Amino acid sequence: MTSTGKVWFVGAGPGAADLLTLRAARVIADADVVIWAASLVHADVLAHARPDAEIVDSSQLPIEGVLPLYRRAAADGLTVARIHSGDPALWGAVQEQLDLCRALDLAVEIVPGVSSFTAVAAIVGRELTIPEVAQSVILTRLEGGKTPMPAGERVRDFARHGTTMALFLSAARAGQAQTELLAGGYPADTPVVVAYQATWPDELVVRCALGELAATVREHRLWKHTLFLVGPALAATGTRSHLYHPGHFHTFRRAEPTARAELRRSRAAVEDATP
């Protein structure tokens, strides 16, 4: 018989409960069982749970400790909200749980959440993709941690692109992170944002140059729940997106002819200057 149980994997965002999506709040409110990790998710998100919901703190449980809850959901037709910090697609250990749930014939669905890297960008009031400066964002972590990195994914290799990088799970080895970023080609004066517990009540967000990264982390005694944003876009000014240029056209707007010619000339100049 097909199970009528379901597991929702819910992105709780970076911390602040009011950064939950409307869908996430609804799913938590409807759940029979709410699983959350007190070490990673702010307790305020539990305010959305039903008074009679079973609340389980998974912070001290391996996946084998959560599996019986999934089995019970399959047997009894329960709805489970499995809350993950940030967005479940990033370092959420979700795929292995999806595989287990599907093996139990449980329906599964994912609710995306606000990632800490976008939350930190909002806190410091910066766009991470600046025209003519950085048009890509690399999301990664430092090699040498608990989980091995695949070949070709070293921080220094990514750093050679010189674009915006969000470095997760690396504060405990800030000296190594600084060395790798510099070895990859970022100049020592590259802007860095160091963010601890972004959007939590004890949030700490500081700026420094890349050459001061390790010293900044030591000064504030940071080693976990800390994100680094690195790259020239964090300080760039004076550039303009073509999207809102009067010379740009699209389905809903016609280009102004003189501005269109100007825009074409500027694009040609950039292409001529590109190696």
Side-chain angles (χ1 to χ4, degrees):
M1 184 175 67
T2 302
S3 169
T4 57
K6 182 169 184 176
V7 177
W8 291 84
F9 293 94
V10 180
D18 60 356
L19 285 177
L20 282 173
T21 65
L22 294 173
R23 183 179 299 179
R26 176 180 58 79
V27 167
I28 294 170
D30 290 342
D32 301 301
V33 181
V34 177
I35 306 172
W36 73 302
S39 58
L40 298 171
V41 177
H42 199 283
D44 285 355
V45 303
L46 299 178
H48 296 283
R50 295 191 334 236
D52 63 335
E54 180 181 355
I55 309 295
V56 179
D57 179 4
S58 65
S59 59
Q60 298 184 31
L61 298 177
I63 196 167
E64 288 78 6
V66 176
L67 185 55
L69 297 168
Y70 294 160
R71 289 194 178 115
R72 182 150 54 87
D76 298 342
L78 302 177
T79 298
V80 177
R82 177 69 165 96
I83 304 176
H84 285 260
S85 60
D87 185 288
L90 297 174
W91 296 284
V94 168
Q95 190 59 52
E96 59 202 67
Q97 296 182 76
L98 290 170
D99 294 342
L100 288 171
C101 289
R102 287 166 178 152
L104 293 169
D105 206 20
L106 280 164
V108 293
E109 195 163 341
I110 299 173
V111 180
V114 175
S115 177
S116 58
F117 83 95
T118 56
V120 173
I123 290 167
V124 298
R126 297 298 310 185
E127 182 179 355
L128 302 181
T129 53
I130 302 294
E132 302 176 39
V133 176
Q135 288 289 283
S136 304
V137 180
I138 296 171
L139 313 179
T140 191
R141 50 171 281 264
L142 189 64
E143 60 271 15
K146 296 177 182 177
T147 303
M149 292 290 281
E153 293 194 16
R154 296 187 308 167
V155 165
R156 71 169 59 193
D157 295 330
F158 288 137
R160 293 193 176 103
H161 295 284
T163 190
T164 307
M165 186 183 298
L167 200 54
F168 294 74
L169 307 170
S170 303
R173 291 169 293 130
Q176 180 187 349
Q178 177 177 317
T179 297
E180 292 296 303
L181 290 165
L182 290 169
Y186 282 115
D189 62 353
T190 300
V192 178
V193 174
V194 179
Y196 167 78
Q197 293 277 72
T199 80
W200 288 62
D202 58 345
E203 166 190 292
L204 174 68
V205 178
V206 295
R207 293 174 178 265
C208 67
L210 176 54
E212 302 166 351
L213 175 58
T216 300
V217 171
R218 284 196 303 271
E219 176 187 352
H220 295 284
R221 301 181 180 180
L222 305 176
W223 63 279
K224 62 179 181 177
H225 304 316
T226 301
L227 171 75
F228 304 146
L229 291 181
V230 184
L234 296 169
T237 59
T239 65
R240 180 174 181 177
S241 169
H242 289 177
L243 178 60
Y244 297 108
H245 193 287
H248 179 75
F249 68 92
H250 52 68
T251 306
F252 299 96
R253 192 181 76 221
R254 303 181 71 174
E256 194 278 320
T258 302
R260 180 66 179 164
E262 176 190 336
L263 190 56
R264 284 176 171 169
R265 286 194 296 270
S266 67
R267 285 175 176 168
V270 169
E271 291 171 0
D272 290 343
T274 301

